[in-house]
Amino acid sequence: MASNAAHRAYPSFTLYGAAKAAVIHFAKGFSNDLLGRKIRANVISPGTTNTPVFDRFVPAEQLEAVKKYWADVMPIGRIGQPSDIGKTAVFLASDDSSFMLGAELLVDGGLSYLSK
């Protein structure tokens, strides 16, 4: 798992973004290194997703406002759901993605590449 933060310079997320960019590079390198063993490595880079992490970093009285802010920022008009990421993981684990290796799938509601 990486993050769209590997592609966008969010304030105060420099180290996080750099670490996630490294994860993307690891997938490329591991795919090359493990090619002979027929092991593929791919990466999912989610955007803001509605998980319990919000409860850890956002005060309860601000929670809905923060979620609304992110939904408004997203080109798709909503934040992601865990099932959005899970379905992508199932795809990557299936034979349907057998021709993919070292790839990154941005599952971020269009935030990395589209403007709203």
Side-chain angles (χ1 to χ4, degrees):
M1 297 299 290
S3 169
N4 71 341
H7 302 280
R8 297 176 59 95
Y10 294 109
S12 302
F13 274 75
T14 301
L15 295 177
Y16 180 79
K20 295 304 185 173
V23 169
I24 295 166
H25 190 80
F26 281 143
K28 294 173 185 179
F30 289 152
S31 286
N32 196 30
D33 294 343
L34 300 170
L35 194 58
R37 295 172 61 186
K38 298 190 185 322
I39 297 173
R40 298 180 296 118
N42 295 295
V43 177
I44 299 170
S45 290
T48 304
T49 306
N50 191 14
T51 66
V53 75
F54 280 107
D55 299 338
R56 293 187 181 156
F57 296 108
V58 179
E61 63 275 3
Q62 296 176 1
L63 191 57
E64 289 311 310
V66 168
K67 288 181 180 182
K68 182 181 180 332
Y69 166 80
W70 281 107
D72 290 345
V73 168
M74 297 286 189
I76 201 164
R78 65 175 179 87
I79 61 174
Q81 296 301 312
S83 61
D84 296 319
I85 310 310
K87 290 174 185 175
T88 305
V90 168
F91 166 71
L92 286 176
S94 76
D95 287 339
D96 291 339
S97 67
S98 65
F99 201 58
M100 297 177 70
L101 63 144
E104 176 194 14
L105 293 179
L106 279 159
V107 186
D108 70 350
L111 187 63
S112 293
Y113 293 136
L114 304 176
S115 62
K116 186 169 181 182

